[in-house]
Amino acid sequence: MRSLFSAKTKYAIHGFFISIATTIAEPSTILPLMVSFFGGSHLLIGFFTSLIKGGSILVQLIGAFYAQSYPRMMPYLHRVFAARFLSWFGIGFVIFFFGENHPNVALASIGIGLFIFSFSAGFGTVYFNEVVAKVFAHKERGRVIANRQFFMGLGSIISGGIAGYVISIVDAPDSFGILYMLSALLMLFGIYAFATIKEPIKNELSQKEEKFRHFLKNSLHTLKADKALQRQIIVYLISYTYLLSLPFIILDAKEHIKLSGFVIGGLISAQMAGGMLSNILWGVISSNRVIVWSGFGLHVSAILLLLYSKDPWIYFVVFFLIGGAIDGLRLAFSNMILILAPQHKRPVYIALQSNLTSIGLFFPILGALIVDGFGYETLYGVTIFTLCVGFLFSLKMEN
C-alpha cells in the first residue's frame, strides 16, 4: 500500500473503514437500542453515549504535553490504534458469548470497552491531527478533509445496510456481538492505510515542561491570551447541544413507528448519506464560518421537524439533516483550529479545543434527565434554544 496509494488516498481509506466500524455504535440508533435491550435506563444510555468520546477529556492534554516535543507521531499512534481495535473487538466478543445469559456482564463490557476506545483516542486525537497538519498543506487541507468525510459517509451508509441486515437475520444479542467483532476486523484495513503514511519530521518543537502541572498552567495562559481561540471553543462546545436529543430520537421513534431491521439500517444510512452528500457542498465552500452557520441551521431544522410531525418519513429526513450538520461542524472546527494554531503550539491548541469542548460529549446525560422529567417535547425545545444561542455566538468568530 505504501507505493500504490498517495497520502490523500490513504487518509480517505482510513476514514472509510473506521466509519464502517464505529457506525455500529452510532449513538443515535444502534447504541440506545442495544443498551435498552440489556435493560439499561435512559440515564445509562446517556452515560454510554458520552463514553464513546468523552473518556478522552483529560488525556488529550496529557497527550499534548508529551507530543509538543515529539518530532514524529506515528510510533505513538500505532499504540493507540492497537488499543482501539482490541477494545472494540472485546465488546463484541463478550456480548456474543455472554450477553444472552449475563446482561449485566454485557452492559459492563460495553461501558469498559467504550471507555478504553475513547480513552486511547485522547492521545490519538492529538497525534492524528498533528500528522494531518504536517502531511497536508493549509490550502488543500479543507478539501482533503471533506473528501475523507465523503468516504466516511459512504462507509457509514454501507455499515447501516450491514447492521440492518444482520439485525434482521440474527436475533439479539448475538447480532450485536457479530456486528462489533466484524466491524473491528474491518477497522484494521483503515488502521493499516493510515499507519503507512510517510510522516515528515517536525523540526520546530516546543520545549517540554518538566512537570505536567507547569504545562497546564502554560496552556491556561495560552487560552487566556487568545480571544479568537476562546470564542471558537465556546461556539464548538455549544454546537454539541444537539447531543441532548440525539440518543433519544430513536426511542421516541420506537413509540410511533415499527423499528424493523430494515428501518434501523435505513435510519443509519439516512444520517450517513446526509453527511456524505453534504461534504460535496462543504468541499466547495471556502468560508469555515458559513459552514458553521449552516451546521447550526440544519440541526435546528431537524429538531423542529420532530416537534411538528411523527410521520415515519420525517425520521429519515431528520437523520439526514443531522448527518449533514455533524459533518459540516466537524470539518469546519477541525480546519479552523489548524489555521488558528501557531506551528510550535499546534498540539496545545488542538488539545485545548478538544479537551474543553469534550464537556459537550456528556450532554446526553443531561438530555436523559430532561426527557425523564419533562418528556420529549421539552427536550427538543431546550435543544433548539441552545443551538440558536450557539448560532448567535458564531457570528463573532473570525475564521
Side-chain angles (χ1 to χ4, degrees):
M1 186 173 291
R2 187 184 301 275
S3 59
L4 292 177
F5 300 117
S6 67
K8 295 178 184 178
T9 303
K10 293 177 181 179
Y11 184 54
I13 290 173
H14 175 263
F16 176 77
F17 283 104
I18 292 296
S19 187
I20 288 179
T22 55
T23 298
I24 298 303
E26 176 55 45
S28 61
T29 48
I30 298 293
L31 183 61
L33 294 174
M34 182 170 64
V35 176
S36 179
F37 175 86
F38 289 118
S41 64
H42 282 133
L43 189 60
L44 191 61
I45 291 170
F47 180 67
F48 280 179
T49 300
S50 301
L51 271 183
I52 293 178
K53 294 183 179 178
S56 62
I57 288 183
L58 180 60
V59 184
Q60 289 181 9
L61 280 175
I62 298 175
F65 169 61
Y66 290 102
Q68 60 184 327
S69 61
Y70 292 159
R72 295 183 69 247
M73 302 292 167
M74 276 298 189
Y76 308 97
L77 196 55
H78 292 169
R79 301 172 192 175
V80 171
F81 287 154
R84 284 168 69 81
F85 165 76
L86 291 173
S87 61
W88 202 254
F89 186 87
I91 292 174
F93 181 87
V94 173
I95 289 176
F96 185 81
F97 289 101
F98 304 101
E100 185 171 0
N101 297 319
H102 304 281
N104 290 334
V105 173
L107 286 173
S109 74
I110 295 169
I112 294 171
L114 290 178
F115 177 76
I116 295 174
F117 189 80
S118 176
F119 185 88
S120 59
F123 292 97
T125 296
V126 177
Y127 304 153
F128 185 88
N129 283 290
E130 181 68 10
V131 172
V132 170
K134 288 197 289 182
V135 172
F136 304 113
H138 161 58
K139 291 183 178 180
E140 67 173 351
R141 195 181 299 130
R143 188 174 293 106
V144 171
I145 294 174
N147 183 59
R148 168 187 162 85
Q149 291 191 172
F150 177 87
F151 283 99
M152 288 177 70
L154 178 60
S156 296
I157 291 174
I158 294 173
S159 182
I162 294 172
Y165 178 72
V166 172
I167 290 173
S168 66
I169 65 171
V170 181
D171 292 336
D174 289 352
S175 56
F176 299 133
I178 291 171
L179 286 172
Y180 268 87
M181 289 189 288
L182 175 62
S183 63
L185 295 175
L186 292 173
M187 187 188 298
L188 288 176
F189 289 97
I191 288 174
Y192 179 76
F194 194 87
T196 57
I197 290 177
K198 186 176 181 180
E199 178 193 6
I201 300 295
K202 182 178 179 180
N203 296 316
E204 189 176 343
L205 301 174
S206 292
Q207 182 66 38
K208 183 168 70 73
E209 294 86 345
E210 291 185 2
K211 296 182 178 180
F212 180 62
R213 61 185 176 87
H214 295 156
F215 169 76
L216 288 178
K217 185 177 180 180
N218 292 337
S219 297
L220 183 60
H221 288 160
T222 298
L223 179 63
K224 287 182 177 180
D226 196 326
K227 299 297 182 182
L229 177 61
Q230 294 174 25
R231 285 191 291 269
Q232 185 167 304
I233 287 174
I234 290 172
V235 176
Y236 198 7
L237 174 60
I238 298 175
S239 75
Y240 276 117
T241 56
Y242 77 92
L243 287 173
L244 290 169
S245 294
L246 183 62
F248 309 106
I249 295 174
I250 192 71
L251 300 181
D252 184 22
K254 192 176 180 180
E255 299 179 5
H256 302 282
I257 62 177
K258 183 178 180 181
L259 291 179
S260 63
F262 173 78
V263 172
I264 294 170
L267 291 174
I268 295 173
S269 296
Q271 180 177 334
M272 302 312 158
M276 183 182 73
L277 296 177
S278 71
N279 279 289
I280 299 174
L281 176 61
W282 308 142
V284 299
I285 295 178
S286 59
S287 172
N288 289 306
R289 288 206 304 170
V290 172
I291 297 176
V292 170
W293 298 338
S294 301
F296 275 109
L298 290 175
H299 271 317
V300 171
S301 299
I303 305 301
L304 278 173
L305 287 175
L306 293 171
L307 284 174
Y308 290 103
S309 178
K310 301 297 182 183
D311 290 338
W313 65 271
I314 284 293
Y315 291 99
F316 288 90
V317 176
V318 166
F319 279 105
F320 182 87
L321 294 176
I322 289 175
I326 291 173
D327 267 30
L329 290 167
R330 180 170 55 203
L331 183 152
F333 285 108
S334 295
N335 201 24
M336 284 192 294
I337 194 63
L338 297 179
I339 295 172
L340 185 64
Q343 184 182 114
H344 66 289
K345 288 188 176 182
R346 197 157 50 207
V348 177
Y349 271 63
I350 292 171
L352 282 170
Q353 175 169 284
S354 298
N355 193 272
L356 294 175
T357 58
S358 289
I359 297 170
L361 298 173
F362 292 93
F363 285 156
I365 298 175
L366 177 59
L369 297 175
I370 294 173
V371 76
D372 280 342
F374 304 98
Y376 287 105
E377 289 191 359
T378 300
L379 176 65
Y380 297 152
V382 171
T383 304
I384 290 170
F385 173 78
T386 54
L387 288 169
C388 288
V389 171
F391 173 78
L392 293 177
F393 274 102
S394 72
L395 298 177
K396 296 183 178 181
M397 288 195 313
E398 296 179 4
N399 289 322

